PDB file of all heavy atoms in Angstrom:
ATOM      1  N   ILE A   1      -8.821  -0.359 -13.606  1.00 95.00           N
ATOM      2  CA  ILE A   1      -7.580  -1.121 -13.923  1.00 95.00           C
ATOM      3  C   ILE A   1      -7.032  -1.762 -12.672  1.00 95.00           C
ATOM      4  O   ILE A   1      -6.633  -2.906 -12.804  1.00 95.00           O
ATOM      5  CB  ILE A   1      -6.654  -0.122 -14.655  1.00 95.00           C
ATOM      6  CG1 ILE A   1      -7.155   0.271 -16.067  1.00 95.00           C
ATOM      7  CG2 ILE A   1      -5.211  -0.796 -14.722  1.00 95.00           C
ATOM      8  CD1 ILE A   1      -6.402   1.487 -16.563  1.00 95.00           C
ATOM      9  N   LEU A   2      -6.950  -1.125 -11.617  1.00 95.00           N
ATOM     10  CA  LEU A   2      -6.182  -1.544 -10.474  1.00 95.00           C
ATOM     11  C   LEU A   2      -7.130  -2.457  -9.682  1.00 95.00           C
ATOM     12  O   LEU A   2      -6.583  -3.438  -9.164  1.00 95.00           O
ATOM     13  CB  LEU A   2      -5.681  -0.392  -9.579  1.00 95.00           C
ATOM     14  CG  LEU A   2      -4.723   0.464 -10.264  1.00 95.00           C
ATOM     15  CD1 LEU A   2      -4.334   1.582  -9.284  1.00 95.00           C
ATOM     16  CD2 LEU A   2      -3.567  -0.274 -10.646  1.00 95.00           C
ATOM     17  N   ALA A   3      -8.449  -2.168  -9.727  1.00 95.00           N
ATOM     18  CA  ALA A   3      -9.373  -3.063  -8.971  1.00 95.00           C
ATOM     19  C   ALA A   3      -9.295  -4.492  -9.354  1.00 95.00           C
ATOM     20  O   ALA A   3      -9.408  -5.460  -8.712  1.00 95.00           O
ATOM     21  CB  ALA A   3     -10.840  -2.554  -8.970  1.00 95.00           C
ATOM     22  N   ALA A   4      -9.072  -4.704 -10.775  1.00 95.00           N
ATOM     23  CA  ALA A   4      -9.001  -6.016 -11.342  1.00 95.00           C
ATOM     24  C   ALA A   4      -7.727  -6.756 -10.794  1.00 95.00           C
ATOM     25  O   ALA A   4      -7.677  -7.964 -10.840  1.00 95.00           O
ATOM     26  CB  ALA A   4      -8.840  -5.866 -12.824  1.00 95.00           C
ATOM     27  N   GLN A   5      -6.751  -6.019 -10.189  1.00 93.00           N
ATOM     28  CA  GLN A   5      -5.570  -6.661  -9.686  1.00 93.00           C
ATOM     29  C   GLN A   5      -5.567  -7.006  -8.085  1.00 93.00           C
ATOM     30  O   GLN A   5      -4.714  -7.544  -7.587  1.00 93.00           O
ATOM     31  CB  GLN A   5      -4.351  -5.863 -10.031  1.00 93.00           C
ATOM     32  CG  GLN A   5      -4.207  -5.436 -11.338  1.00 93.00           C
ATOM     33  CD  GLN A   5      -4.002  -6.703 -12.298  1.00 93.00           C
ATOM     34  OE1 GLN A   5      -3.289  -7.573 -11.951  1.00 93.00           O
ATOM     35  NE2 GLN A   5      -4.706  -6.805 -13.428  1.00 93.00           N
ATOM     36  N   LEU A   6      -6.668  -6.512  -7.439  1.00 93.00           N
ATOM     37  CA  LEU A   6      -6.760  -6.546  -6.030  1.00 93.00           C
ATOM     38  C   LEU A   6      -6.915  -8.078  -5.583  1.00 93.00           C
ATOM     39  O   LEU A   6      -7.565  -8.799  -6.203  1.00 93.00           O
ATOM     40  CB  LEU A   6      -7.861  -5.845  -5.497  1.00 93.00           C
ATOM     41  CG  LEU A   6      -7.889  -4.320  -5.618  1.00 93.00           C
ATOM     42  CD1 LEU A   6      -9.164  -3.640  -5.020  1.00 93.00           C
ATOM     43  CD2 LEU A   6      -6.642  -3.754  -4.899  1.00 93.00           C
ATOM     44  N   GLU A   7      -6.240  -8.348  -4.346  1.00 93.00           N
ATOM     45  CA  GLU A   7      -6.422  -9.610  -3.705  1.00 93.00           C
ATOM     46  C   GLU A   7      -7.414  -9.454  -2.557  1.00 93.00           C
ATOM     47  O   GLU A   7      -7.730  -8.327  -2.195  1.00 93.00           O
ATOM     48  CB  GLU A   7      -5.086 -10.065  -3.244  1.00 93.00           C
ATOM     49  CG  GLU A   7      -4.053 -10.350  -4.357  1.00 93.00           C
ATOM     50  CD  GLU A   7      -2.831 -10.825  -3.717  1.00 93.00           C
ATOM     51  OE1 GLU A   7      -2.602 -11.070  -2.545  1.00 93.00           O
ATOM     52  OE2 GLU A   7      -1.857 -10.895  -4.612  1.00 93.00           O
ATOM     53  N   LEU A   8      -7.923 -10.504  -2.206  1.00 94.00           N
ATOM     54  CA  LEU A   8      -8.902 -10.524  -1.059  1.00 94.00           C
ATOM     55  C   LEU A   8      -8.317  -9.804   0.251  1.00 94.00           C
ATOM     56  O   LEU A   8      -7.173 -10.000   0.497  1.00 94.00           O
ATOM     57  CB  LEU A   8      -9.281 -12.002  -0.624  1.00 94.00           C
ATOM     58  CG  LEU A   8     -10.353 -12.152   0.438  1.00 94.00           C
ATOM     59  CD1 LEU A   8     -11.656 -11.665  -0.071  1.00 94.00           C
ATOM     60  CD2 LEU A   8     -10.441 -13.632   0.787  1.00 94.00           C
ATOM     61  N   GLY A   9      -8.945  -8.761   0.666  1.00 93.00           N
ATOM     62  CA  GLY A   9      -8.665  -8.028   1.724  1.00 93.00           C
ATOM     63  C   GLY A   9      -7.968  -6.708   1.383  1.00 93.00           C
ATOM     64  O   GLY A   9      -7.717  -5.797   2.237  1.00 93.00           O
ATOM     65  N   ASP A  10      -7.571  -6.506   0.089  1.00 92.00           N
ATOM     66  CA  ASP A  10      -6.854  -5.354  -0.417  1.00 92.00           C
ATOM     67  C   ASP A  10      -7.924  -4.205  -0.446  1.00 92.00           C
ATOM     68  O   ASP A  10      -9.101  -4.426  -0.637  1.00 92.00           O
ATOM     69  CB  ASP A  10      -6.409  -5.496  -1.742  1.00 92.00           C
ATOM     70  CG  ASP A  10      -5.027  -6.345  -1.876  1.00 92.00           C
ATOM     71  OD1 ASP A  10      -4.472  -6.537  -0.698  1.00 92.00           O
ATOM     72  OD2 ASP A  10      -4.645  -6.743  -2.966  1.00 92.00           O
ATOM     73  N   GLN A  11      -7.457  -2.919  -0.297  1.00 93.00           N
ATOM     74  CA  GLN A  11      -8.175  -1.788  -0.376  1.00 93.00           C
ATOM     75  C   GLN A  11      -7.651  -0.885  -1.351  1.00 93.00           C
ATOM     76  O   GLN A  11      -6.418  -0.793  -1.472  1.00 93.00           O
ATOM     77  CB  GLN A  11      -8.343  -1.050   1.032  1.00 93.00           C
ATOM     78  CG  GLN A  11      -9.169  -2.033   1.961  1.00 93.00           C
ATOM     79  CD  GLN A  11      -9.236  -1.301   3.381  1.00 93.00           C
ATOM     80  OE1 GLN A  11      -9.194  -0.101   3.437  1.00 93.00           O
ATOM     81  NE2 GLN A  11      -9.411  -2.006   4.475  1.00 93.00           N
ATOM     82  N   LEU A  12      -8.397  -0.049  -2.011  1.00 94.00           N
ATOM     83  CA  LEU A  12      -7.913   0.864  -3.024  1.00 94.00           C
ATOM     84  C   LEU A  12      -8.595   2.159  -2.938  1.00 94.00           C
ATOM     85  O   LEU A  12     -10.041   2.241  -2.837  1.00 94.00           O
ATOM     86  CB  LEU A  12      -8.213   0.263  -4.453  1.00 94.00           C
ATOM     87  CG  LEU A  12      -7.916   1.109  -5.802  1.00 94.00           C
ATOM     88  CD1 LEU A  12      -6.484   1.459  -5.686  1.00 94.00           C
ATOM     89  CD2 LEU A  12      -8.431   0.530  -6.940  1.00 94.00           C
ATOM     90  N   LEU A  13      -7.978   3.269  -2.947  1.00 93.00           N
ATOM     91  CA  LEU A  13      -8.450   4.604  -2.881  1.00 93.00           C
ATOM     92  C   LEU A  13      -7.785   5.473  -3.980  1.00 93.00           C
ATOM     93  O   LEU A  13      -6.577   5.445  -4.022  1.00 93.00           O
ATOM     94  CB  LEU A  13      -8.269   5.291  -1.543  1.00 93.00           C
ATOM     95  CG  LEU A  13      -8.791   6.780  -1.403  1.00 93.00           C
ATOM     96  CD1 LEU A  13     -10.157   6.844  -1.627  1.00 93.00           C
ATOM     97  CD2 LEU A  13      -8.290   7.294  -0.095  1.00 93.00           C
ATOM     98  N   VAL A  14      -8.526   6.011  -4.930  1.00 94.00           N
ATOM     99  CA  VAL A  14      -7.972   6.800  -5.991  1.00 94.00           C
ATOM    100  C   VAL A  14      -8.510   8.248  -5.751  1.00 94.00           C
ATOM    101  O   VAL A  14      -9.574   8.501  -5.765  1.00 94.00           O
ATOM    102  CB  VAL A  14      -8.452   6.182  -7.380  1.00 94.00           C
ATOM    103  CG1 VAL A  14      -7.938   6.974  -8.508  1.00 94.00           C
ATOM    104  CG2 VAL A  14      -8.134   4.713  -7.536  1.00 94.00           C
ATOM    105  N   LEU A  15      -7.452   9.113  -5.844  1.00 91.00           N
ATOM    106  CA  LEU A  15      -7.791  10.601  -5.628  1.00 91.00           C
ATOM    107  C   LEU A  15      -7.168  11.361  -6.647  1.00 91.00           C
ATOM    108  O   LEU A  15      -6.064  11.033  -7.159  1.00 91.00           O
ATOM    109  CB  LEU A  15      -7.291  11.048  -4.208  1.00 91.00           C
ATOM    110  CG  LEU A  15      -7.658  10.394  -3.009  1.00 91.00           C
ATOM    111  CD1 LEU A  15      -6.726  10.706  -1.814  1.00 91.00           C
ATOM    112  CD2 LEU A  15      -9.155  10.668  -2.638  1.00 91.00           C
ATOM    113  N   ASP A  16      -7.753  12.413  -7.035  1.00 90.00           N
ATOM    114  CA  ASP A  16      -7.086  13.453  -7.969  1.00 90.00           C
ATOM    115  C   ASP A  16      -6.602  14.581  -6.973  1.00 90.00           C
ATOM    116  O   ASP A  16      -7.405  15.387  -6.523  1.00 90.00           O
ATOM    117  CB  ASP A  16      -8.147  14.031  -8.991  1.00 90.00           C
ATOM    118  CG  ASP A  16      -7.490  14.857  -9.955  1.00 90.00           C
ATOM    119  OD1 ASP A  16      -6.356  15.254  -9.736  1.00 90.00           O
ATOM    120  OD2 ASP A  16      -8.304  15.314 -10.984  1.00 90.00           O
ATOM    121  N   ILE A  17      -5.221  14.692  -7.015  1.00 87.00           N
ATOM    122  CA  ILE A  17      -4.623  15.709  -6.048  1.00 87.00           C
ATOM    123  C   ILE A  17      -3.919  16.766  -6.924  1.00 87.00           C
ATOM    124  O   ILE A  17      -3.330  17.626  -6.408  1.00 87.00           O
ATOM    125  CB  ILE A  17      -3.602  15.137  -5.084  1.00 87.00           C
ATOM    126  CG1 ILE A  17      -2.561  14.292  -5.694  1.00 87.00           C
ATOM    127  CG2 ILE A  17      -4.403  14.135  -4.144  1.00 87.00           C
ATOM    128  CD1 ILE A  17      -1.453  13.957  -4.758  1.00 87.00           C
ATOM    129  N   GLU A  18      -3.969  16.617  -8.275  1.00 85.00           N
ATOM    130  CA  GLU A  18      -3.347  17.519  -9.085  1.00 85.00           C
ATOM    131  C   GLU A  18      -3.695  19.017  -8.727  1.00 85.00           C
ATOM    132  O   GLU A  18      -4.933  19.386  -8.763  1.00 85.00           O
ATOM    133  CB  GLU A  18      -3.464  17.252 -10.552  1.00 85.00           C
ATOM    134  CG  GLU A  18      -2.686  18.209 -11.448  1.00 85.00           C
ATOM    135  CD  GLU A  18      -2.736  17.817 -12.894  1.00 85.00           C
ATOM    136  OE1 GLU A  18      -3.315  16.876 -13.178  1.00 85.00           O
ATOM    137  OE2 GLU A  18      -2.120  18.592 -13.640  1.00 85.00           O
ATOM    138  N   GLY A  19      -2.783  19.850  -8.560  1.00 82.00           N
ATOM    139  CA  GLY A  19      -3.121  21.231  -8.230  1.00 82.00           C
ATOM    140  C   GLY A  19      -3.705  21.507  -6.916  1.00 82.00           C
ATOM    141  O   GLY A  19      -4.105  22.710  -6.655  1.00 82.00           O
ATOM    142  N   GLN A  20      -3.756  20.614  -6.059  1.00 84.00           N
ATOM    143  CA  GLN A  20      -4.218  20.727  -4.726  1.00 84.00           C
ATOM    144  C   GLN A  20      -3.141  21.133  -3.779  1.00 84.00           C
ATOM    145  O   GLN A  20      -1.950  20.517  -3.925  1.00 84.00           O
ATOM    146  CB  GLN A  20      -4.917  19.438  -4.203  1.00 84.00           C
ATOM    147  CG  GLN A  20      -6.079  19.042  -5.047  1.00 84.00           C
ATOM    148  CD  GLN A  20      -7.091  20.266  -5.014  1.00 84.00           C
ATOM    149  OE1 GLN A  20      -7.511  20.741  -3.858  1.00 84.00           O
ATOM    150  NE2 GLN A  20      -7.662  20.613  -6.296  1.00 84.00           N
ATOM    151  N   PRO A  21      -3.280  21.907  -2.716  1.00 85.00           N
ATOM    152  CA  PRO A  21      -2.183  22.159  -1.754  1.00 85.00           C
ATOM    153  C   PRO A  21      -1.800  20.844  -0.987  1.00 85.00           C
ATOM    154  O   PRO A  21      -2.575  19.994  -0.789  1.00 85.00           O
ATOM    155  CB  PRO A  21      -3.026  23.173  -0.772  1.00 85.00           C
ATOM    156  CG  PRO A  21      -4.125  23.719  -1.460  1.00 85.00           C
ATOM    157  CD  PRO A  21      -4.620  22.620  -2.437  1.00 85.00           C
ATOM    158  N   TRP A  22      -0.509  20.902  -0.579  1.00 84.00           N
ATOM    159  CA  TRP A  22      -0.114  19.720   0.168  1.00 84.00           C
ATOM    160  C   TRP A  22       1.024  20.273   1.101  1.00 84.00           C
ATOM    161  O   TRP A  22       1.549  21.291   1.030  1.00 84.00           O
ATOM    162  CB  TRP A  22       0.466  18.744  -0.830  1.00 84.00           C
ATOM    163  CG  TRP A  22       1.575  19.284  -1.736  1.00 84.00           C
ATOM    164  CD1 TRP A  22       1.408  19.859  -3.025  1.00 84.00           C
ATOM    165  CD2 TRP A  22       2.949  19.144  -1.430  1.00 84.00           C
ATOM    166  NE1 TRP A  22       2.636  20.237  -3.578  1.00 84.00           N
ATOM    167  CE2 TRP A  22       3.688  19.704  -2.604  1.00 84.00           C
ATOM    168  CE3 TRP A  22       3.642  18.701  -0.556  1.00 84.00           C
ATOM    169  CZ2 TRP A  22       4.995  19.836  -2.763  1.00 84.00           C
ATOM    170  CZ3 TRP A  22       5.191  18.720  -0.625  1.00 84.00           C
ATOM    171  CH2 TRP A  22       5.717  19.344  -1.717  1.00 84.00           C
ATOM    172  N   ALA A  23       1.312  19.469   2.124  1.00 83.00           N
ATOM    173  CA  ALA A  23       2.337  19.696   3.197  1.00 83.00           C
ATOM    174  C   ALA A  23       3.012  18.402   3.365  1.00 83.00           C
ATOM    175  O   ALA A  23       2.515  17.281   3.396  1.00 83.00           O
ATOM    176  CB  ALA A  23       1.728  20.344   4.418  1.00 83.00           C
ATOM    177  N   ALA A  24       4.205  18.482   3.813  1.00 82.00           N
ATOM    178  CA  ALA A  24       5.034  17.410   4.074  1.00 82.00           C
ATOM    179  C   ALA A  24       6.065  17.638   5.191  1.00 82.00           C
ATOM    180  O   ALA A  24       6.445  18.851   5.395  1.00 82.00           O
ATOM    181  CB  ALA A  24       5.800  16.810   2.833  1.00 82.00           C
ATOM    182  N   SER A  25       6.409  16.614   5.921  1.00 85.00           N
ATOM    183  CA  SER A  25       7.424  16.824   7.020  1.00 85.00           C
ATOM    184  C   SER A  25       8.224  15.488   7.044  1.00 85.00           C
ATOM    185  O   SER A  25       7.679  14.425   7.015  1.00 85.00           O
ATOM    186  CB  SER A  25       6.818  17.063   8.339  1.00 85.00           C
ATOM    187  OG  SER A  25       7.787  17.158   9.316  1.00 85.00           O
ATOM    188  N   GLY A  26       9.527  15.687   7.043  1.00 85.00           N
ATOM    189  CA  GLY A  26      10.433  14.576   7.224  1.00 85.00           C
ATOM    190  C   GLY A  26      10.534  13.640   6.032  1.00 85.00           C
ATOM    191  O   GLY A  26      10.936  12.439   6.148  1.00 85.00           O
ATOM    192  N   VAL A  27      10.075  14.101   4.799  1.00 82.00           N
ATOM    193  CA  VAL A  27      10.239  13.305   3.614  1.00 82.00           C
ATOM    194  C   VAL A  27      11.636  13.690   2.964  1.00 82.00           C
ATOM    195  O   VAL A  27      12.220  14.652   3.132  1.00 82.00           O
ATOM    196  CB  VAL A  27       9.138  13.471   2.619  1.00 82.00           C
ATOM    197  CG1 VAL A  27       7.795  13.046   3.305  1.00 82.00           C
ATOM    198  CG2 VAL A  27       9.036  15.035   2.209  1.00 82.00           C
ATOM    199  N   TYR A  28      12.152  12.711   2.041  1.00 84.00           N
ATOM    200  CA  TYR A  28      13.288  12.970   1.408  1.00 84.00           C
ATOM    201  C   TYR A  28      13.163  14.024   0.476  1.00 84.00           C
ATOM    202  O   TYR A  28      12.037  14.285  -0.197  1.00 84.00           O
ATOM    203  CB  TYR A  28      13.719  11.693   0.547  1.00 84.00           C
ATOM    204  CG  TYR A  28      14.007  10.526   1.383  1.00 84.00           C
ATOM    205  CD1 TYR A  28      13.203   9.478   1.543  1.00 84.00           C
ATOM    206  CD2 TYR A  28      15.158  10.463   2.126  1.00 84.00           C
ATOM    207  CE1 TYR A  28      13.459   8.332   2.274  1.00 84.00           C
ATOM    208  CE2 TYR A  28      15.460   9.392   2.932  1.00 84.00           C
ATOM    209  CZ  TYR A  28      14.665   8.407   3.116  1.00 84.00           C
ATOM    210  OH  TYR A  28      14.969   7.248   3.813  1.00 84.00           O
ATOM    211  N   PRO A  29      14.246  14.856   0.154  1.00 86.00           N
ATOM    212  CA  PRO A  29      14.078  15.952  -0.853  1.00 86.00           C
ATOM    213  C   PRO A  29      13.502  15.473  -2.198  1.00 86.00           C
ATOM    214  O   PRO A  29      12.860  16.333  -2.872  1.00 86.00           O
ATOM    215  CB  PRO A  29      15.550  16.379  -1.063  1.00 86.00           C
ATOM    216  CG  PRO A  29      16.244  16.060   0.286  1.00 86.00           C
ATOM    217  CD  PRO A  29      15.574  14.741   0.768  1.00 86.00           C
ATOM    218  N   GLU A  30      13.875  14.262  -2.570  1.00 86.00           N
ATOM    219  CA  GLU A  30      13.343  13.651  -3.898  1.00 86.00           C
ATOM    220  C   GLU A  30      11.839  13.502  -3.768  1.00 86.00           C
ATOM    221  O   GLU A  30      11.153  13.838  -4.879  1.00 86.00           O
ATOM    222  CB  GLU A  30      13.918  12.325  -4.106  1.00 86.00           C
ATOM    223  CG  GLU A  30      15.398  12.371  -4.367  1.00 86.00           C
ATOM    224  CD  GLU A  30      16.222  12.201  -3.129  1.00 86.00           C
ATOM    225  OE1 GLU A  30      15.666  12.149  -1.992  1.00 86.00           O
ATOM    226  OE2 GLU A  30      17.557  12.333  -3.220  1.00 86.00           O
ATOM    227  N   ALA A  31      11.367  13.333  -2.765  1.00 84.00           N
ATOM    228  CA  ALA A  31       9.793  13.136  -2.590  1.00 84.00           C
ATOM    229  C   ALA A  31       9.258  14.496  -2.744  1.00 84.00           C
ATOM    230  O   ALA A  31       8.160  14.652  -3.416  1.00 84.00           O
ATOM    231  CB  ALA A  31       9.534  12.544  -1.244  1.00 84.00           C
ATOM    232  N   GLU A  32       9.775  15.575  -2.102  1.00 83.00           N
ATOM    233  CA  GLU A  32       9.237  16.804  -2.165  1.00 83.00           C
ATOM    234  C   GLU A  32       9.412  17.334  -3.736  1.00 83.00           C
ATOM    235  O   GLU A  32       8.392  17.886  -4.230  1.00 83.00           O
ATOM    236  CB  GLU A  32       9.819  17.944  -1.292  1.00 83.00           C
ATOM    237  CG  GLU A  32       9.373  17.768   0.039  1.00 83.00           C
ATOM    238  CD  GLU A  32       9.518  18.995   0.893  1.00 83.00           C
ATOM    239  OE1 GLU A  32       9.293  20.153   0.354  1.00 83.00           O
ATOM    240  OE2 GLU A  32       9.985  18.935   2.004  1.00 83.00           O
ATOM    241  N   GLU A  33      10.491  16.999  -4.352  1.00 86.00           N
ATOM    242  CA  GLU A  33      10.667  17.405  -5.831  1.00 86.00           C
ATOM    243  C   GLU A  33       9.585  16.688  -6.644  1.00 86.00           C
ATOM    244  O   GLU A  33       9.001  17.323  -7.534  1.00 86.00           O
ATOM    245  CB  GLU A  33      11.993  17.006  -6.241  1.00 86.00           C
ATOM    246  CG  GLU A  33      12.249  17.475  -7.603  1.00 86.00           C
ATOM    247  CD  GLU A  33      12.102  18.955  -7.921  1.00 86.00           C
ATOM    248  OE1 GLU A  33      12.493  19.703  -6.924  1.00 86.00           O
ATOM    249  OE2 GLU A  33      11.842  19.358  -8.972  1.00 86.00           O
ATOM    250  N   TRP A  34       9.414  15.430  -6.421  1.00 86.00           N
ATOM    251  CA  TRP A  34       8.331  14.707  -7.121  1.00 86.00           C
ATOM    252  C   TRP A  34       6.862  15.437  -6.911  1.00 86.00           C
ATOM    253  O   TRP A  34       6.197  15.620  -7.924  1.00 86.00           O
ATOM    254  CB  TRP A  34       8.202  13.235  -6.662  1.00 86.00           C
ATOM    255  CG  TRP A  34       7.411  12.370  -7.556  1.00 86.00           C
ATOM    256  CD1 TRP A  34       7.894  11.560  -8.635  1.00 86.00           C
ATOM    257  CD2 TRP A  34       6.046  12.262  -7.744  1.00 86.00           C
ATOM    258  NE1 TRP A  34       6.893  10.950  -9.308  1.00 86.00           N
ATOM    259  CE2 TRP A  34       5.660  11.312  -8.768  1.00 86.00           C
ATOM    260  CE3 TRP A  34       4.892  12.915  -7.001  1.00 86.00           C
ATOM    261  CZ2 TRP A  34       4.401  11.004  -9.097  1.00 86.00           C
ATOM    262  CZ3 TRP A  34       3.718  12.476  -7.333  1.00 86.00           C
ATOM    263  CH2 TRP A  34       3.282  11.549  -8.335  1.00 86.00           C
ATOM    264  N   MET A  35       6.514  15.828  -5.769  1.00 86.00           N
ATOM    265  CA  MET A  35       5.390  16.444  -5.509  1.00 86.00           C
ATOM    266  C   MET A  35       5.238  17.633  -6.197  1.00 86.00           C
ATOM    267  O   MET A  35       4.326  18.126  -6.755  1.00 86.00           O
ATOM    268  CB  MET A  35       5.100  16.586  -4.068  1.00 86.00           C
ATOM    269  CG  MET A  35       4.892  15.326  -3.208  1.00 86.00           C
ATOM    270  SD  MET A  35       3.256  14.453  -3.669  1.00 86.00           S
ATOM    271  CE  MET A  35       2.167  15.739  -2.932  1.00 86.00           C
ATOM    272  N   ARG A  36       6.298  18.523  -6.263  1.00 85.00           N
ATOM    273  CA  ARG A  36       6.344  19.904  -6.823  1.00 85.00           C
ATOM    274  C   ARG A  36       6.184  19.736  -8.345  1.00 85.00           C
ATOM    275  O   ARG A  36       5.507  20.437  -9.054  1.00 85.00           O
ATOM    276  CB  ARG A  36       7.635  20.459  -6.640  1.00 85.00           C
ATOM    277  CG  ARG A  36       7.718  21.040  -5.158  1.00 85.00           C
ATOM    278  CD  ARG A  36       9.122  21.715  -5.053  1.00 85.00           C
ATOM    279  NE  ARG A  36       9.567  21.931  -3.738  1.00 85.00           N
ATOM    280  CZ  ARG A  36       9.256  22.762  -2.824  1.00 85.00           C
ATOM    281  NH1 ARG A  36       8.308  23.531  -3.016  1.00 85.00           N
ATOM    282  NH2 ARG A  36       9.710  22.628  -1.529  1.00 85.00           N
ATOM    283  N   GLU A  37       6.749  18.781  -8.818  1.00 86.00           N
ATOM    284  CA  GLU A  37       6.707  18.445 -10.319  1.00 86.00           C
ATOM    285  C   GLU A  37       5.316  17.912 -10.800  1.00 86.00           C
ATOM    286  O   GLU A  37       4.888  18.138 -11.885  1.00 86.00           O
ATOM    287  CB  GLU A  37       7.895  17.500 -10.753  1.00 86.00           C
ATOM    288  CG  GLU A  37       8.033  17.334 -12.236  1.00 86.00           C
ATOM    289  CD  GLU A  37       9.146  16.425 -12.592  1.00 86.00           C
ATOM    290  OE1 GLU A  37      10.180  16.438 -11.862  1.00 86.00           O
ATOM    291  OE2 GLU A  37       9.187  15.703 -13.643  1.00 86.00           O
ATOM    292  N   HIS A  38       4.851  16.974 -10.102  1.00 85.00           N
ATOM    293  CA  HIS A  38       3.654  16.338 -10.466  1.00 85.00           C
ATOM    294  C   HIS A  38       2.284  16.659  -9.923  1.00 85.00           C
ATOM    295  O   HIS A  38       1.359  16.376 -10.520  1.00 85.00           O
ATOM    296  CB  HIS A  38       3.807  14.672 -10.296  1.00 85.00           C
ATOM    297  CG  HIS A  38       4.932  14.223 -11.110  1.00 85.00           C
ATOM    298  ND1 HIS A  38       4.933  14.090 -12.440  1.00 85.00           N
ATOM    299  CD2 HIS A  38       6.251  13.902 -10.721  1.00 85.00           C
ATOM    300  CE1 HIS A  38       6.040  13.596 -13.007  1.00 85.00           C
ATOM    301  NE2 HIS A  38       6.918  13.511 -11.858  1.00 85.00           N
TER     302      HIS A  38
END
């Protein structure tokens, strides 16, 4: 879906991170909440 929208020189990486450990530093509290929720 997204590759069809890429322009010349764009790059796309799609990862499944659901349920995977993560760590953050210096991010907004809303960002950490989004990660916890999704």
Side-chain angles (χ1 to χ4, degrees):
I1 290 167
L2 297 178
Q5 306 297 316
L6 295 179
E7 296 178 8
L8 186 63
D10 285 348
Q11 298 178 20
L12 174 66
L13 174 63
V14 179
L15 304 168
D16 182 353
I17 61 170
E18 185 175 353
Q20 298 300 310
W22 57 275
S25 177
V27 298
Y28 295 110
E30 297 85 2
E32 281 202 44
E33 182 60 32
W34 193 97
M35 292 293 289
R36 289 182 204 280
E37 186 176 330
H38 297 287

